[in-house]
Structure formats: C-alpha cells, structure tokens
Amino acid sequence: MLEQLLIFTRGGLILWTCKEFGNALKGSPIDTLIQSCLLEERSGAALYNYDGPQGAAYTLKWTFHNDLGLVFVAVYQRILHLLYVDELLAMVKHEFSEIYDPKRTAYSDFDETFRQLRKEAEAWAEELKKSKQMNKPLSNSKKQGQVQKSGFKGGSKKKSEGALANDGGDGDRRKGSKLVNGHSNGHHVDIVESKVNGADNGIENMSSDTGVFDVNKLLKLRAKGGKKTDTVVSKGSKIKPKKKITKKNRVWNDSPPPEKLDFTDSVGENGNHIDVVAADHGESMMDKEEIFSSESEDEEDEEVEKDSRPETKKKGWFSSMFQSIAGKANLEKSDLEPALKALKDRLMTKNVAEEITEKLCESVAASLEGKKLASFTRVSSTVQAAMEEALVRILTPRRSIDILRDVHASKEQGKPYVVVFVGVNGVGKSTNLAKVAYWLLQHNVSVMMAACDTFRSGAVEQLRTHARRLQIPIFEKGYEKDPAVVAKEAIQEATRNGSDVVLVDTAGRMQDNEPLMRALSKLINLNNPDLVLFVGEALVGNDAVDQLSKFNQKLADLSATPSSRLIDGILLTKFDTIDDKVGAALSMVYISGAPVMFVGCGQSYTDLKKLNVKSIVRTLLK
C-alpha cells in the first residue's frame, strides 16, 4: 500500500497530505527527492529510489501540473510493485486541479475524493492483473504455433511434416557445428566438409538455411579476394614512398616568433645545480574578473526555429498569426519534440555526454508539458529559455567554494587545510597542484606539498621541481611507500611547522583499477581531508560520466565507515584546447553534483581561473 501522497507547490508550500497514512516515513525521502532529483533537472526519470535509515527503502513517483505550478508525489515501499500509482497520480492531478485556488492553503475536503480515487485505481489494477493472467496461456500457445510453423517451412513438400521437421533440425545442427569449427580453428578443410554435408542432406537443408549465407559464394569471394591482394602487393612494391611532410610552426596574427621557452634547471660550470630564486609570474587569473559581451542571439534563435519545425502540413498565415497572438492552450509533448531534438544535437556537438543530454531534455519536457504558451512567444524560444535556466541551476554551486575562507577557519582551529588531488592518468594533477599553490601564495597562505605519488617514475622529482621554483616546502618519502602513511606524516609535519595548507599529490589511476582505487580510499579515510578535488580533462566527452561515477562508486564501496567520503569538487584542465567544446563541465557536474572550483587554461602558474557559469551556458546554447 501507499506510505504517503503529498501535494505541494513549486515554491515548497504543502497543500494537502493524506491523513489516513498514519505511519511516519523513516528519514526524509521527500526532501531528498527535491534536492537530488527535482532541483538537479532529473525530473524526467520515471521514479526515484530512496535508501533511508534503519533499512528503509522507498520508491517515489511524481507528476507535475506545470500550468498551476503543482507537484504530486507518491511514496511506497520499494518491495511492493504497485501498478496503480501512475494511474492514481493522474486522477489526483485531474481532480485537484479543478478545485485548486491559489488563495487557498487547506484542502481538507479533498480527503473523501482521494478515497474514491484510490478505490478506483486499486480496482483498475486488479482488473489489469486478471487480464494479464488470462493472456499468458494465449501468448504461450501463439509462440508454440509460430515455432511449429517455422519448422514446417524448412522442409520439402515431398516428405511428411514430422520427418521434415526432424531432418531440417538435424541438418541445421550438423551444418552449424561444422561452421563454428571452421571459423574457430581457421582451417579450410572444415568449411569444405560442411559444404559436402550440406549437399548430402539435399534440397531440404538448403531451403532451411536460406537467409544465412551460401558456402559456395563464400569460397568464391575468398578466392577472388586472395588474387586481389596478391596483385596489390606486387604493384605496391614498385611505388616509391612519399617524402615525409614536416610540420611548420604556426604564426599568430603575423606576430614575430616568441622566444624559446626553457624550463630546465640552471647548471654551473662544475655541474652543480644553481638555486632558483622564486620569481613573480604575475597575478593569477583566479583573481581577475572576466567580462563577456551580452549580445542578442535573435539570429540563432531563428535558425533553431527553422531547424525545429516539424515536417507536417503547413498552416495558413491567418491561423498561425492568430495562434501567435492568442497563445497556445497547453504545450504538448509533440510540440516540444522538434525544439528539444535541435537542442540535444547542439549540446552533443559541444561535447556533452549523450546520456546527460537525454536526461536534460526529458527534464525540460516534463517541466514544460501542459504549460500555457504566452502570446507572441515561439515554442523554440520557450524551450531554450527553460534549458538555459536548467543549465544555470546545475552549474551554479549549491555551497560555498571560497577556499580562502575555509583555510582561515582551519587556521583558527590550529590545523592545516588538506586538499587531495585525484584523477586518471595524464590529466595534469601535479601541474595544476602547483598552480593552486601559486594562487594561495599570492594570498599570503603558507603551503606545503606532499608527494604521495609513490607509483609513477619521476613523479616525486616533478613535484620537487615545482616546490623549488615556488620556494615552498615539500614532504617526500620516495617511491614504493604507502601513500596513506606518507600523507598522514605530511599533515603531522605541517602541523608542527605551522603550514596553513597541505596539497597532496596522488598517483593517476583508471577508474577500473581495483588495487589503486583501494589505496586511494585508504588515503582519504585515514587522513579525512578537507577537500577532495577530482582533476579531469575538458577534452573528454562520454568518458567523463564513466570516470566520475565510478570514482564515487569505488570510494563509497571501499569506505571503512558508514558515511563514505566522495568527491567534493572538480578541477578542469586543458580548457584552453577545446574552443567551444565545453560540455565536459556540464557532464561532470551533472553526474557528481560537485561544483567546478578551478579551471586550468594554460602552462604557466598564473593560468588558473574560476568557472564563469553564464559564459559556459551561453557557449553551450549558441
């Protein structure tokens, strides 16, 4: 049975709840649904599963009345597969919308109506079960009839029906086994044997195998293919190899070639390294405000409108003009599909994962379906405005990402602020760790690096070079050490020395590497860092979803405590190489719920900036 049915407005005002359901829900499934699903543009899903305390497991289903701004939510035990929930929600939505008044806040008179609706829905579900049980034997008999008919078709007209079915089946089995052996062993003899057996069985087997392939044709094609390859090889030996074309350096805007960059350490005459003095590389881009022009995009909207027009019967100019003036009564799914398809294609060209685009379009369709279209408003512009609002809501952080404030709060408590950098191989964890260190140094924050990448050759030396150039301390223990223990000792050393921040570098690991993921989970659980930053490339598309979801899943599964620690923030690297393909930012935020805290956009220490949400949304939709 149902545990709860709730009606509330989009603003959060509860209008009606069923008083018959006296059992209190364990946990807060409604609040979790609003935070994790409705506000995160996942409302296009069919249902939401909630795991609460004390083994509570609920399934939630919902529907919207977009024109009135109402939300209808039903909650029931997950173990129960209630067939009437969708039908009950539809009936409650229809009946309640007729008595809804924006000025009213109490609807106690709806209790009796709900009882009647629930009885009707339960009776409908019982009838549905009975009809399914009646149809089951009929469907099985139909399948048996189809099997028998297919067996009769394979035989010859001269033999009896039973003999034909048996002969055809045996012939098929013998022929199939020979062909499997022929393909697996790679010998030509087995294929010839299968051909001979097929000829011995007669016309019956040949007719039963029509639609698969012909062995004679296969042998002829192979013979022809062999001759062609021989001739190509013989001719190809006479052709002279082409000269290798060397790549020329690109010149930007007819400017003179820049000086050659040399980041190697200075070496004296006796071969000893000269100490590097920390140089000022300039102001970090994190502290610079980006200015973007807000130009109108009317031309692009017109193009979308042209692309999204369905290929249906053209309306007259008078009817189209009247509809634009009066407005459409209610938007239907068929009205939204062309515009949503154009938006989906556009988002996928901007490197957004296909799975994410489908969920976003479903959520936007759910929020617009049944809503009245305003006068002088096009469907495409309405869909685009809803999508833009959804993207801004997703990319805007739901919590504070001011690291400097958190650092000062930890300093007042007498402990260092610990940041762990995690991610797959080759995304730039060490380089961007140095950029974050340089940005913190500009704000008079003392930083210590912890070389916990004890797996990759040269990782400690790379971090040591960054530390020497930035003139900051580094804690290292060499290679083949337990990174969790190294990080713990680094935090203890930072506490003794009075360092404000500890930046922990970890080894790159693929999301499917079980031993390395277990070591990372141990490092996080043992040291309990203040911030876990996932470093990901802005170049990835669909793989972003797989990386982040599996990282979070592994950290949750391998956690030693009930409250598992997951990824807190995202650092996007190589953002200067993607042009307008900015969809990885949206995919990563959508799948993890973590905000983008830093964006790496170059090779120098200053090339680190914040994510401009409006700029990303504008780029995604243009």
Side-chain angles (χ1 to χ4, degrees), residues 420-430 433 450-460 462-463 478-484 487 504-511 513 515-521 523-524 533-535 551:
V420 176
F421 292 76
V422 302
V424 300
N425 307 79
V427 294
K429 290 182 295 297
S430 303
L433 182 147
C452 296
D453 184 357
T454 61
F455 183 77
R456 177 173 64 88
S457 301
V460 177
Q462 180 186 5
L463 208 63
Y479 296 98
E480 297 183 0
K481 302 292 190 302
D482 188 353
V504 180
D505 185 29
T506 62
R509 65 205 76 212
M510 296 305 293
Q511 60 269 23
N513 193 323
L516 288 178
M517 289 303 298
R518 193 175 294 276
L520 178 62
S521 179
L523 186 149
I524 293 174
L533 271 181
F534 179 83
V535 184
F551 256 82

Side-chain angles (χ1 to χ4, degrees), residues 468-600:
R468 185 166 64 251
R469 292 189 174 279
L470 295 174
Q471 294 294 296
I472 58 177
I474 179 173
F475 186 88
E476 57 175 275
K477 285 287 186 179
Y479 296 98
E480 297 183 0
K481 302 292 190 302
D482 188 353
V485 177
V486 176
K488 186 176 182 179
E489 294 178 0
I491 295 170
Q492 294 172 353
E493 181 68 20
T495 305
R496 287 192 295 268
N497 295 340
S499 297
D500 299 330
V501 178
V502 179
L503 302 179
V504 180
D505 185 29
T506 62
R509 65 205 76 212
M510 296 305 293
Q511 60 269 23
D512 299 320
N513 193 323
E514 183 77 18
L516 288 178
M517 289 303 298
R518 193 175 294 276
L520 178 62
S521 179
K522 179 184 176 182
L523 186 149
I524 293 174
N525 293 325
L526 182 64
N527 297 286
N528 192 21
D530 298 281
L531 183 65
V532 180
L533 271 181
F534 179 83
V535 184
E537 284 183 333
L539 304 169
V540 295
N542 291 322
D543 199 34
V545 177
D546 187 56
Q547 288 178 9
L548 263 173
S549 59
K550 286 190 177 178
F551 256 82
N552 268 334
Q553 187 65 40
K554 289 290 184 182
L555 291 178
D557 294 343
L558 301 174
S559 176
T561 58
S563 57
S564 56
R565 185 68 184 276
L566 303 179
I567 291 167
D568 302 317
I570 299 169
L571 194 157
L572 272 178
T573 65
K574 307 177 185 178
F575 212 72
D576 55 323
T577 64
I578 57 172
D579 194 20
D580 62 342
K581 305 292 188 293
V582 296
L586 177 63
S587 300
M588 289 184 178
V589 173
Y590 188 90
I591 201 66
S592 66
V596 176
M597 306 185 72
F598 300 101
V599 175

Side-chain angles (χ1 to χ4, degrees), residues 141-184:
S141 62
K142 286 181 180 179
K143 288 181 180 177
Q144 292 174 1
Q146 290 175 0
V147 171
Q148 291 175 0
K149 287 179 182 178
S150 62
F152 295 152
K153 289 179 182 177
S156 173
K157 296 179 181 179
K158 296 180 181 179
K159 294 186 178 182
S160 64
E161 293 178 353
L164 285 173
N166 293 331
D167 291 343
D170 294 336
D172 290 341
R173 279 193 289 270
R174 286 194 298 270
K175 190 169 182 178
S177 64
K178 293 295 180 180
L179 289 172
V180 170
N181 292 332
H183 284 292
S184 60

Side-chain angles (χ1 to χ4, degrees), residues 166-222:
N166 293 331
D167 291 343
D170 294 336
D172 290 341
R173 279 193 289 270
R174 286 194 298 270
K175 190 169 182 178
S177 64
K178 293 295 180 180
L179 289 172
V180 170
N181 292 332
H183 284 292
S184 60
N185 297 330
H187 294 304
H188 183 69
V189 178
D190 292 331
I191 299 175
V192 175
E193 287 178 3
S194 65
K195 176 188 172 184
V196 173
N197 290 333
D200 292 340
N201 289 335
I203 304 171
E204 298 87 11
N205 292 333
M206 295 298 290
S207 61
S208 64
D209 286 337
T210 54
V212 184
F213 63 79
D214 189 359
V215 181
N216 293 325
K217 291 182 179 179
L218 179 64
L219 295 174
K220 289 178 182 179
L221 287 173
R222 285 192 174 183

Side-chain angles (χ1 to χ4, degrees), residues 356-529:
I356 306 300
T357 57
E358 290 177 355
K359 290 181 179 179
L360 278 172
C361 290
E362 289 174 1
S363 178
V364 170
S367 65
L368 290 178
E369 192 173 352
K371 194 173 183 180
K372 188 174 181 180
L373 189 65
S375 303
F376 298 102
T377 307
R378 295 176 298 186
V379 176
S380 63
S381 58
T382 304
V383 171
Q384 177 135 343
M387 180 65 77
E388 183 176 355
E389 183 182 348
L391 295 179
V392 171
R393 192 184 305 119
I394 292 169
L395 291 172
T396 302
R398 298 189 303 276
R399 60 177 178 82
S400 174
I401 57 172
D402 188 359
I403 293 181
L404 295 175
R405 189 190 67 176
D406 297 338
V407 168
H408 291 302
S410 295
K411 189 176 181 181
E412 291 176 358
Q413 297 176 5
K415 62 177 185 178
Y417 187 82
V418 182
V419 184
V420 176
F421 292 76
V422 302
V424 300
N425 307 79
V427 294
K429 290 182 295 297
S430 303
T431 304
N432 286 275
L433 182 147
K435 294 179 185 178
V436 174
Y438 179 76
W439 171 67
L440 291 171
L441 288 174
Q442 286 191 315
H443 291 273
N444 300 320
V445 176
S446 59
V447 182
M448 172 186 278
M449 291 183 179
C452 296
D453 184 357
T454 61
F455 183 77
R456 177 173 64 88
S457 301
V460 177
E461 288 79 5
Q462 180 186 5
L463 208 63
R464 191 187 301 157
T465 303
H466 285 304
R468 185 166 64 251
R469 292 189 174 279
L470 295 174
Q471 294 294 296
I472 58 177
I474 179 173
F475 186 88
E476 57 175 275
K477 285 287 186 179
Y479 296 98
E480 297 183 0
K481 302 292 190 302
D482 188 353
V485 177
V486 176
K488 186 176 182 179
E489 294 178 0
I491 295 170
Q492 294 172 353
E493 181 68 20
T495 305
R496 287 192 295 268
N497 295 340
S499 297
D500 299 330
V501 178
V502 179
L503 302 179
V504 180
D505 185 29
T506 62
R509 65 205 76 212
M510 296 305 293
Q511 60 269 23
D512 299 320
N513 193 323
E514 183 77 18
L516 288 178
M517 289 303 298
R518 193 175 294 276
L520 178 62
S521 179
K522 179 184 176 182
L523 186 149
I524 293 174
N525 293 325
L526 182 64
N527 297 286
N528 192 21

